[in-house]
Amino acid sequence: MSSDIKFSAANAGGAGSTSVREITRLERIGAHSHIRGLGLDDALEPRSGGSQGMVGQMAARRAVGVIFRMIKEGKIGGRAILIAGKPGTGKTAIAMGLAQELGEDTPFTTLSGSEVFSLEMSKTEALTQALRRSIGVRILEETEVIEGEVVEIMVDTLAGKGGSEKSGRLTLCTTEMETVYDLGSKMIDALTKEKVTAGDVITIDKASGRISKLGRSFSRSRDYDAMGAQTRFVQCPEGELQKRKEMVHTVSLHEIDVINSRQQGFLALFAGDTGEIKGEVRDQIDTKVADWREEGRATIVPGVLFIDEVHMLDMECFSFLNRALESDMAPVLVIATNRGIAKIRGTDYKSPHGIPLDLLDRLMIVSTTSYTTDETRKILSVRCEEEDVEMADDALELLTRIGMETSLRYVIHMIIAASLVAERRKCSQVEIEDIKRVYTLFVDVKRSTQYLMEYQSEFMFNELDNGGDIEEDSGSDEDDDDVHNSDDNEEKDVSKIDESEKSSMEEG
């Protein structure tokens, strides 16, 4: 999606002439950027028609909706859910919808099964960090703040021998009182940085001096003829200016681990790779968090750890997860796989979905089914709207038919390519000829496989070449045998000639 911003600037070459530039801000579109939630109503029933970007999978969405309600109410922890289905049936989309429904306050960590083996740490340490990232700690803190509407800001600059010094006065008011505060240079700089003007509603933390701008007062809504879309109007505060407020900070257990295990403290979060963290540090943090919970200063927010392609984990990782789910502060584990009866990685044993049976017993399994023709058409329509592509109805119908014969992912990738082909034709709408053009340019898996079968002998390191070499070698061996046989025959003929010559000489 893009938004265009136009502005005029006076040209330095001549007075009165203007030049107009057009700035386009591009936002990247991902595979699941159209997902806004699970598309459920208040009764946890899935809405039809592509609600919140979700199409189809009614039973799976209904089941995940029940899990969502249990997570929000805090009645579930240490549970594991398996989303199983064929490739391209929306398993990751359902997990992303769950993350959108939970919101920013609930930790949601995404991990791929192969990432565990690519990190520069042990497998169990990587899983431990992922689990602790998925557990939030909501810390309650009481602070004294000054909250009010800015009536006037006066700044005086005094020139002295050591340089200029700033001083000023700030007038704040509520619906019941008005007070004037003296300002120092630091507070003046903070107000200037936040671009605070008369009519803004601000809060000042008395302990740290931090200034936060809440918005603009409704009483000043008519001061200007036009305002930006980001301008937020709030009511003028009531009561006294000085108040005691409960500040809520939500951090994850992993962030607390990093802060307490590194000398840089809080700055270690921005250093990148945190490395392995000692178990003693984690035990001390768990004890401290338990004390905060008893004192009422903190609450635990069990989040979600989503592991995609879980069949890539090995037996050691599965055993660790089995044990981790029994912990008191375990998050909700959501895993997804597209495998059927497969070997468990690192072993010769086969199991459903490539997962050991003892872990399968702990899982609540949600299955996904293939999309119907109508659902595929609706998904493509949603993706066209997300990618800002105008497509004709007959072109959409053709794309749907191609998707049913090939795969959903293939036709989704064709949308933007067909749009670029239409732009080259100076056409604002994608037509059937654009779809046909892209279909001939980019082959799907079935056509690529068929091409390989037909022209396999022309590729390197293929089985036909190896078989040909073997046949040629065997032929050369037969030729060698023929040569040896002919040599033996010649030797026999020579010996016969020598014997006949000797007999004739004896007769002479």
Side-chain angles (χ1 to χ4, degrees):
M1 306 293 289
S2 63
S3 58
D4 298 334
I5 305 171
K6 296 181 180 180
F7 67 93
S8 300
N11 194 350
S17 62
T18 59
S19 62
V20 178
R21 286 195 301 161
E22 192 170 291
I23 300 176
T24 303
R25 185 179 73 250
L26 295 177
E27 297 178 2
R28 293 185 62 84
I29 299 173
H32 301 100
S33 57
H34 63 285
I35 302 297
R36 309 284 189 269
L38 290 172
L40 304 174
D41 57 15
D42 295 336
L44 299 181
E45 289 295 326
R47 293 188 290 262
S48 59
S51 176
Q52 294 182 322
M54 291 296 297
V55 179
Q57 306 298 346
M58 298 296 184
R61 286 161 58 190
R62 191 180 295 110
V64 176
V66 175
I67 301 298
F68 158 71
R69 181 64 60 85
M70 296 174 71
I71 295 173
K72 290 295 288 184
E73 293 179 357
K75 296 181 180 180
I76 183 172
R79 303 292 178 87
I81 295 97
L82 169 63
I83 304 176
K86 296 192 300 183
T89 53
K91 298 182 293 297
T92 307
I94 291 175
M96 294 298 105
L98 177 61
Q100 294 288 340
E101 291 282 358
L102 291 173
E104 297 181 355
D105 292 337
T106 305
F108 190 94
T109 307
T110 303
L111 183 70
S112 178
S114 57
E115 289 183 40
V116 176
F117 301 93
S118 60
L119 298 175
E120 295 181 355
M121 61 181 74
S122 64
K123 294 176 285 187
T124 55
E125 176 66 20
L127 289 173
T128 302
Q129 292 189 10
L131 287 166
R132 292 179 75 85
R133 276 196 196 96
S134 308
I135 304 171
V137 181
R138 189 175 288 125
I139 302 173
L140 306 177
E141 182 182 8
E142 278 194 358
T143 57
E144 287 191 359
V145 297
I146 300 172
E147 184 179 55
E149 179 186 341
V150 178
V151 179
E152 186 182 17
I153 301 176
M154 297 183 62
V155 179
D156 300 326
T157 303
L158 302 177
K161 295 181 180 180
S164 60
E165 294 183 0
K166 292 181 180 180
S167 63
R169 292 185 300 276
L170 172 66
T171 305
L172 293 177
C173 73
T174 63
T175 55
E176 299 179 3
M177 61 183 299
E178 182 175 315
T179 308
V180 180
Y181 296 93
D182 293 330
L183 300 176
S185 59
K186 290 185 178 180
M187 290 297 294
I188 292 173
D189 293 339
L191 289 170
T192 306
K193 183 179 179 181
E194 292 291 331
K195 299 179 181 179
V196 176
T197 58
D200 291 337
V201 178
I202 63 172
T203 60
I204 303 174
D205 190 345
K206 292 186 67 176
S208 61
R210 186 166 59 91
I211 298 174
S212 302
K213 186 161 66 171
L214 303 180
R216 193 154 184 84
S217 176
F218 275 110
S219 61
R220 299 296 188 101
S221 60
R222 299 184 181 274
D223 287 0
Y224 303 99
D225 294 334
M227 292 188 180
Q230 70 276 8
T231 305
R232 179 186 177 190
F233 290 99
V234 295
Q235 294 286 352
C236 181
E238 300 178 353
E240 297 184 357
L241 282 166
Q242 296 190 25
K243 302 174 183 177
R244 294 185 64 88
K245 274 197 169 183
E246 278 193 353
M247 305 295 291
V248 180
H249 308 283
T250 304
V251 295
S252 67
L253 279 179
H254 176 66
E255 291 173 348
I256 302 176
D257 295 342
V258 174
I259 293 171
N260 288 274
S261 63
R262 298 291 181 267
Q263 294 181 353
Q264 302 97 323
F266 180 74
L267 296 177
L269 293 173
F270 305 97
D273 187 14
T274 57
E276 297 199 7
I277 300 173
K278 295 181 179 179
E280 295 82 3
V281 176
R282 291 195 173 107
D283 292 340
Q284 294 176 2
I285 291 171
D286 292 344
T287 304
K288 190 65 177 177
V289 170
D291 294 340
W292 288 348
R293 292 174 64 186
E294 292 181 359
E295 296 171 3
R297 294 176 53 192
T299 55
I300 297 296
V301 184
V304 177
L305 172 59
F306 173 59
I307 303 179
D308 203 0
E309 307 294 335
V310 73
H311 53 265
M312 296 299 295
L313 300 181
D314 59 4
M315 187 66 78
E316 183 181 354
C317 297
F318 286 127
S319 300
F320 177 81
L321 289 176
N322 221 345
R323 177 68 181 85
L325 290 174
E326 298 176 356
S327 174
D328 295 336
M329 292 191 297
V332 177
L333 179 65
V334 179
I335 57 180
T337 181
N338 54 17
R339 298 297 172 91
I341 306 295
K343 285 186 178 181
I344 303 171
R345 179 171 179 169
T347 67
D348 293 330
Y349 299 104
K350 289 187 177 182
S351 177
H353 312 295
I355 302 173
L357 293 177
D358 56 346
L359 182 59
L360 277 174
D361 288 340
R362 295 178 178 269
L363 300 179
M364 302 170 66
I365 302 176
V366 178
S367 61
T368 56
T369 57
S370 300
Y371 289 109
T372 62
T373 304
D374 293 336
E375 292 171 350
T376 302
R377 185 185 301 106
K378 184 60 182 177
I379 292 172
L380 294 176
S381 177
V382 171
R383 288 300 301 180
C384 288
E385 183 179 352
E386 176 71 15
E387 298 179 16
D388 199 12
V389 174
E390 291 288 337
M391 186 171 293
D393 294 338
D394 51 356
L396 182 62
E397 191 66 32
L398 175 61
L399 202 65
T400 304
R401 202 170 71 204
I402 295 173
M404 295 303 295
E405 294 177 357
T406 57
S407 68
L408 180 62
R409 291 171 180 169
Y410 173 69
V411 291
I412 287 177
H413 293 158
M414 288 177 64
I415 293 175
I416 192 65
S419 175
L420 295 175
V421 172
E423 285 181 10
R424 189 164 184 173
R425 293 192 302 108
K426 302 293 190 295
C427 184
S428 60
Q429 190 179 42
V430 176
E431 303 290 345
I432 286 183
E433 56 184 294
D434 303 318
I435 301 296
K436 291 181 178 179
R437 175 68 174 165
V438 174
Y439 186 74
T440 56
L441 289 175
F442 305 100
V443 297
D444 57 282
V445 177
K446 291 182 180 179
R447 285 185 291 162
S448 179
T449 306
Q450 184 179 0
Y451 180 84
L452 285 176
M453 295 298 293
E454 292 178 0
Y455 300 97
Q456 188 176 9
S457 60
E458 300 180 11
F459 286 83
M460 295 180 62
F461 306 112
N462 61 81
E463 295 181 0
L464 291 182
D465 283 348
N466 295 334
D469 294 339
I470 292 172
E471 291 175 0
E472 291 175 1
D473 293 338
S474 62
S476 62
D477 292 338
E478 291 175 1
D479 294 338
D480 293 338
D481 293 337
D482 294 338
V483 171
H484 291 307
N485 294 334
S486 62
D487 292 342
D488 295 338
N489 294 332
E490 289 178 359
E491 290 177 0
K492 291 180 180 178
D493 295 339
V494 170
S495 61
K496 287 181 179 179
I497 292 172
D498 292 339
E499 291 177 358
S500 62
E501 289 180 350
K502 285 181 181 180
S503 61
S504 62
M505 288 174 66
E506 289 175 356
E507 291 176 358

